[in-house]
Amino acid sequence: SRRNGTGRNCWHLSPGLDRSPRQKDKCVSGEGKAGAITALLRNHFAERTEGSRNAVYVALKQRLEAVAQRIAGSYRMSSADVEDVVQESLRKFAEQEKSGSGIFDRSAVSELCPKKINSHIKGSIQQRSATWYRTQKRHSRIVRCSLDYTGGYAEQGAHRALEYDASEAATAGQEL
């Protein structure tokens, strides 16, 4: 692998990898949605306007939603949970922009390519989805343990409430 200007290894820039000329062109020319995000990021670094920033985040959100929908099936996430994961990923990218790291690293803008963008997006969604899954698993254990601890008292309380409602309805019927 070859080192880029940031000291990180870039396996996709290595000349020794077996790749067809078309695949090499994809990384350089930036076909696809990740290529569009790459172009928008480069434009944003050149202009630094609010419009260019908004364009980057709109494209990022669309790509994050597409990736999250594919990953959501393996975690059995609802659409609301998918939206939460996307929002968390967008928050992460906003933090990167603020600190000037990740895909918003100005010193590495010349080495940005669609494969790097895709790896950042997929990694972010995968990480947030795994965190969501662990949280759900922990929450279900807590609920299960708390129901086991009550020893049926919750069910007895529900029966008493039903008995109370029935007796209250009977009393109200007699008063009429």
Side-chain angles (χ1 to χ4, degrees):
S1 67
R2 217 163 92 188
R3 291 216 179 249
N4 63 14
T6 62
R8 296 183 209 122
N9 289 330
C10 291
W11 59 269
H12 64 279
L13 296 176
S14 298
L17 291 176
D18 243 0
R19 210 182 262 141
S20 71
R22 184 174 178 191
Q23 287 175 322
K24 286 182 183 177
D25 290 343
K26 257 188 179 177
C27 189
V28 175
S29 68
E31 294 176 11
K33 293 177 183 178
I37 294 171
T38 304
L40 287 169
L41 276 168
R42 288 184 177 149
N43 183 37
H44 174 62
F45 285 129
E47 291 180 8
R48 283 292 201 198
T49 64
E50 192 64 29
S52 66
R53 181 180 183 274
N54 289 342
V56 168
Y57 277 97
V58 166
L60 266 175
K61 184 175 185 203
Q62 290 172 349
R63 184 71 179 128
L64 286 167
E65 287 172 344
V67 171
Q69 287 297 329
R70 285 196 304 266
I71 292 176
S74 61
Y75 289 105
R76 296 184 181 135
M77 300 167 88
S78 70
S79 59
D81 295 328
V82 170
E83 186 61 32
D84 288 345
V85 166
V86 169
Q87 291 298 318
E88 278 295 312
S89 295
L90 280 172
R91 186 188 56 78
K92 177 198 169 226
F93 284 118
E95 287 175 1
Q96 285 182 357
E97 180 185 20
K98 191 174 183 178
S99 67
S101 63
I103 63 173
F104 291 97
D105 186 1
R106 287 183 69 87
S107 63
V109 71
S110 62
E111 295 162 355
L112 268 180
C113 74
K115 286 191 178 190
K116 280 187 179 183
I117 299 294
N118 271 335
S119 67
H120 278 278
I121 289 171
K122 289 176 183 175
S124 178
I125 291 292
Q126 188 67 38
Q127 193 173 36
R128 302 303 170 285
S129 296
T131 301
W132 173 87
Y133 180 74
R134 284 190 299 269
T135 303
Q136 294 300 314
K137 202 170 175 181
R138 190 174 329 130
H139 185 283
S140 70
R141 274 187 295 197
I142 291 170
V143 169
R144 187 176 44 231
C145 289
S146 65
L147 288 177
D148 290 343
Y149 178 73
T150 60
Y153 292 125
E155 291 174 9
Q156 289 175 1
H159 289 301
R160 286 186 190 142
L162 289 175
E163 290 171 5
Y164 177 75
D165 288 342
S167 65
E168 185 178 291
T171 311
Q174 289 175 355
E175 291 176 1
L176 292 174

PDB file of all heavy atoms in Angstrom, residues 18-36:
ATOM      1  N   ASP A  18      -4.428  -5.513  -8.752  1.00  0.00           N
ATOM      2  CA  ASP A  18      -5.005  -5.926 -10.026  1.00  0.00           C
ATOM      3  C   ASP A  18      -6.325  -5.211 -10.231  1.00  0.00           C
ATOM      4  O   ASP A  18      -7.275  -5.431  -9.491  1.00  0.00           O
ATOM      5  CB  ASP A  18      -5.252  -7.438 -10.010  1.00  0.00           C
ATOM      6  CG  ASP A  18      -4.438  -8.147 -11.043  1.00  0.00           C
ATOM      7  OD1 ASP A  18      -3.702  -7.462 -11.763  1.00  0.00           O
ATOM      8  OD2 ASP A  18      -4.547  -9.383 -11.118  1.00  0.00           O
ATOM      9  N   ARG A  19      -6.355  -4.364 -11.206  1.00  0.00           N
ATOM     10  CA  ARG A  19      -7.578  -3.605 -11.447  1.00  0.00           C
ATOM     11  C   ARG A  19      -7.676  -3.297 -12.937  1.00  0.00           C
ATOM     12  O   ARG A  19      -6.682  -3.003 -13.573  1.00  0.00           O
ATOM     13  CB  ARG A  19      -7.503  -2.292 -10.660  1.00  0.00           C
ATOM     14  CG  ARG A  19      -8.840  -1.809 -10.246  1.00  0.00           C
ATOM     15  CD  ARG A  19      -8.716  -0.505  -9.520  1.00  0.00           C
ATOM     16  NE  ARG A  19      -8.746  -0.747  -8.092  1.00  0.00           N
ATOM     17  CZ  ARG A  19      -7.995  -0.106  -7.227  1.00  0.00           C
ATOM     18  NH1 ARG A  19      -7.161   0.793  -7.609  1.00  0.00           N
ATOM     19  NH2 ARG A  19      -8.107  -0.360  -5.972  1.00  0.00           N
ATOM     20  N   SER A  20      -8.862  -3.355 -13.438  1.00  0.00           N
ATOM     21  CA  SER A  20      -9.037  -3.026 -14.850  1.00  0.00           C
ATOM     22  C   SER A  20      -8.905  -1.516 -15.022  1.00  0.00           C
ATOM     23  O   SER A  20      -9.103  -0.754 -14.081  1.00  0.00           O
ATOM     24  CB  SER A  20     -10.408  -3.498 -15.338  1.00  0.00           C
ATOM     25  OG  SER A  20     -11.417  -2.691 -14.768  1.00  0.00           O
ATOM     26  N   PRO A  21      -8.602  -1.036 -16.243  1.00  0.00           N
ATOM     27  CA  PRO A  21      -8.496   0.410 -16.461  1.00  0.00           C
ATOM     28  C   PRO A  21      -9.781   1.145 -16.115  1.00  0.00           C
ATOM     29  O   PRO A  21      -9.748   2.260 -15.635  1.00  0.00           O
ATOM     30  CB  PRO A  21      -8.184   0.524 -17.953  1.00  0.00           C
ATOM     31  CG  PRO A  21      -7.631  -0.795 -18.351  1.00  0.00           C
ATOM     32  CD  PRO A  21      -8.241  -1.805 -17.420  1.00  0.00           C
ATOM     33  N   ARG A  22     -10.912   0.502 -16.335  1.00  0.00           N
ATOM     34  CA  ARG A  22     -12.192   1.145 -16.031  1.00  0.00           C
ATOM     35  C   ARG A  22     -12.338   1.398 -14.528  1.00  0.00           C
ATOM     36  O   ARG A  22     -12.819   2.438 -14.106  1.00  0.00           O
ATOM     37  CB  ARG A  22     -13.336   0.287 -16.537  1.00  0.00           C
ATOM     38  CG  ARG A  22     -14.661   0.944 -16.337  1.00  0.00           C
ATOM     39  CD  ARG A  22     -15.750   0.152 -16.968  1.00  0.00           C
ATOM     40  NE  ARG A  22     -16.996   0.847 -16.683  1.00  0.00           N
ATOM     41  CZ  ARG A  22     -18.172   0.346 -16.891  1.00  0.00           C
ATOM     42  NH1 ARG A  22     -18.290  -0.836 -17.412  1.00  0.00           N
ATOM     43  NH2 ARG A  22     -19.245   1.023 -16.594  1.00  0.00           N
ATOM     44  N   GLN A  23     -11.928   0.418 -13.703  1.00  0.00           N
ATOM     45  CA  GLN A  23     -12.010   0.589 -12.259  1.00  0.00           C
ATOM     46  C   GLN A  23     -11.092   1.705 -11.785  1.00  0.00           C
ATOM     47  O   GLN A  23     -11.426   2.462 -10.897  1.00  0.00           O
ATOM     48  CB  GLN A  23     -11.669  -0.709 -11.546  1.00  0.00           C
ATOM     49  CG  GLN A  23     -12.754  -1.749 -11.660  1.00  0.00           C
ATOM     50  CD  GLN A  23     -12.325  -3.064 -11.050  1.00  0.00           C
ATOM     51  OE1 GLN A  23     -11.173  -3.466 -11.161  1.00  0.00           O
ATOM     52  NE2 GLN A  23     -13.270  -3.744 -10.424  1.00  0.00           N
ATOM     53  N   LYS A  24      -9.907   1.818 -12.380  1.00  0.00           N
ATOM     54  CA  LYS A  24      -9.001   2.902 -12.009  1.00  0.00           C
ATOM     55  C   LYS A  24      -9.621   4.247 -12.354  1.00  0.00           C
ATOM     56  O   LYS A  24      -9.533   5.194 -11.591  1.00  0.00           O
ATOM     57  CB  LYS A  24      -7.661   2.741 -12.719  1.00  0.00           C
ATOM     58  CG  LYS A  24      -6.810   1.627 -12.160  1.00  0.00           C
ATOM     59  CD  LYS A  24      -5.490   1.554 -12.874  1.00  0.00           C
ATOM     60  CE  LYS A  24      -4.682   0.377 -12.349  1.00  0.00           C
ATOM     61  NZ  LYS A  24      -3.425   0.226 -13.051  1.00  0.00           N
ATOM     62  N   ASP A  25     -10.269   4.323 -13.506  1.00  0.00           N
ATOM     63  CA  ASP A  25     -10.900   5.572 -13.918  1.00  0.00           C
ATOM     64  C   ASP A  25     -12.032   5.951 -12.975  1.00  0.00           C
ATOM     65  O   ASP A  25     -12.256   7.124 -12.732  1.00  0.00           O
ATOM     66  CB  ASP A  25     -11.456   5.461 -15.343  1.00  0.00           C
ATOM     67  CG  ASP A  25     -10.338   5.389 -16.372  1.00  0.00           C
ATOM     68  OD1 ASP A  25      -9.199   5.744 -16.008  1.00  0.00           O
ATOM     69  OD2 ASP A  25     -10.599   4.975 -17.505  1.00  0.00           O
ATOM     70  N   LYS A  26     -12.741   4.950 -12.438  1.00  0.00           N
ATOM     71  CA  LYS A  26     -13.850   5.248 -11.529  1.00  0.00           C
ATOM     72  C   LYS A  26     -13.360   6.024 -10.322  1.00  0.00           C
ATOM     73  O   LYS A  26     -13.969   6.977  -9.892  1.00  0.00           O
ATOM     74  CB  LYS A  26     -14.499   3.948 -11.049  1.00  0.00           C
ATOM     75  CG  LYS A  26     -15.770   3.630 -11.716  1.00  0.00           C
ATOM     76  CD  LYS A  26     -16.399   2.445 -11.039  1.00  0.00           C
ATOM     77  CE  LYS A  26     -17.704   2.144 -11.709  1.00  0.00           C
ATOM     78  NZ  LYS A  26     -18.353   0.975 -11.182  1.00  0.00           N
ATOM     79  N   CYS A  27     -12.229   5.609  -9.775  1.00  0.00           N
ATOM     80  CA  CYS A  27     -11.707   6.278  -8.593  1.00  0.00           C
ATOM     81  C   CYS A  27     -11.243   7.689  -8.941  1.00  0.00           C
ATOM     82  O   CYS A  27     -11.470   8.619  -8.202  1.00  0.00           O
ATOM     83  CB  CYS A  27     -10.549   5.481  -7.994  1.00  0.00           C
ATOM     84  SG  CYS A  27     -10.010   6.091  -6.404  1.00  0.00           S
ATOM     85  N   VAL A  28     -10.641   7.857 -10.081  1.00  0.00           N
ATOM     86  CA  VAL A  28     -10.128   9.170 -10.467  1.00  0.00           C
ATOM     87  C   VAL A  28     -11.241  10.077 -10.960  1.00  0.00           C
ATOM     88  O   VAL A  28     -11.350  11.220 -10.550  1.00  0.00           O
ATOM     89  CB  VAL A  28      -9.035   9.015 -11.555  1.00  0.00           C
ATOM     90  CG1 VAL A  28      -8.587  10.356 -12.048  1.00  0.00           C
ATOM     91  CG2 VAL A  28      -7.868   8.227 -11.003  1.00  0.00           C
ATOM     92  N   SER A  29     -12.114   9.552 -11.824  1.00  0.00           N
ATOM     93  CA  SER A  29     -13.138  10.408 -12.404  1.00  0.00           C
ATOM     94  C   SER A  29     -14.289  10.661 -11.446  1.00  0.00           C
ATOM     95  O   SER A  29     -14.980  11.650 -11.562  1.00  0.00           O
ATOM     96  CB  SER A  29     -13.680   9.787 -13.697  1.00  0.00           C
ATOM     97  OG  SER A  29     -14.408   8.615 -13.403  1.00  0.00           O
ATOM     98  N   GLY A  30     -14.528   9.752 -10.508  1.00  0.00           N
ATOM     99  CA  GLY A  30     -15.547   9.979  -9.493  1.00  0.00           C
ATOM    100  C   GLY A  30     -16.958   9.712  -9.956  1.00  0.00           C
ATOM    101  O   GLY A  30     -17.838  10.525  -9.752  1.00  0.00           O
ATOM    102  N   GLU A  31     -17.184   8.576 -10.619  1.00  0.00           N
ATOM    103  CA  GLU A  31     -18.534   8.226 -11.024  1.00  0.00           C
ATOM    104  C   GLU A  31     -19.362   7.883  -9.794  1.00  0.00           C
ATOM    105  O   GLU A  31     -18.847   7.438  -8.787  1.00  0.00           O
ATOM    106  CB  GLU A  31     -18.496   7.010 -11.964  1.00  0.00           C
ATOM    107  CG  GLU A  31     -17.821   7.304 -13.275  1.00  0.00           C
ATOM    108  CD  GLU A  31     -17.705   6.057 -14.133  1.00  0.00           C
ATOM    109  OE1 GLU A  31     -18.317   5.030 -13.811  1.00  0.00           O
ATOM    110  OE2 GLU A  31     -16.979   6.131 -15.119  1.00  0.00           O
ATOM    111  N   GLY A  32     -20.659   8.076  -9.877  1.00  0.00           N
ATOM    112  CA  GLY A  32     -21.559   7.684  -8.797  1.00  0.00           C
ATOM    113  C   GLY A  32     -21.789   8.791  -7.789  1.00  0.00           C
ATOM    114  O   GLY A  32     -21.293   9.903  -7.911  1.00  0.00           O
ATOM    115  N   LYS A  33     -22.568   8.430  -6.779  1.00  0.00           N
ATOM    116  CA  LYS A  33     -22.953   9.408  -5.750  1.00  0.00           C
ATOM    117  C   LYS A  33     -21.762   9.839  -4.904  1.00  0.00           C
ATOM    118  O   LYS A  33     -21.668  10.995  -4.507  1.00  0.00           O
ATOM    119  CB  LYS A  33     -24.053   8.832  -4.882  1.00  0.00           C
ATOM    120  CG  LYS A  33     -25.335   8.644  -5.649  1.00  0.00           C
ATOM    121  CD  LYS A  33     -26.404   8.016  -4.803  1.00  0.00           C
ATOM    122  CE  LYS A  33     -27.636   7.789  -5.670  1.00  0.00           C
ATOM    123  NZ  LYS A  33     -28.704   7.154  -4.949  1.00  0.00           N
ATOM    124  N   ALA A  34     -20.870   8.906  -4.605  1.00  0.00           N
ATOM    125  CA  ALA A  34     -19.683   9.271  -3.827  1.00  0.00           C
ATOM    126  C   ALA A  34     -18.787  10.205  -4.630  1.00  0.00           C
ATOM    127  O   ALA A  34     -18.148  11.096  -4.066  1.00  0.00           O
ATOM    128  CB  ALA A  34     -18.915   8.019  -3.418  1.00  0.00           C
ATOM    129  N   GLY A  35     -18.762  10.028  -5.932  1.00  0.00           N
ATOM    130  CA  GLY A  35     -18.004  10.944  -6.787  1.00  0.00           C
ATOM    131  C   GLY A  35     -18.591  12.343  -6.766  1.00  0.00           C
ATOM    132  O   GLY A  35     -17.861  13.345  -6.770  1.00  0.00           O
ATOM    133  N   ALA A  36     -19.910  12.413  -6.726  1.00  0.00           N
ATOM    134  CA  ALA A  36     -20.570  13.719  -6.646  1.00  0.00           C
ATOM    135  C   ALA A  36     -20.259  14.395  -5.310  1.00  0.00           C
ATOM    136  O   ALA A  36     -20.002  15.607  -5.265  1.00  0.00           O
ATOM    137  CB  ALA A  36     -22.079  13.555  -6.812  1.00  0.00           C
TER     138      ALA A  36
END
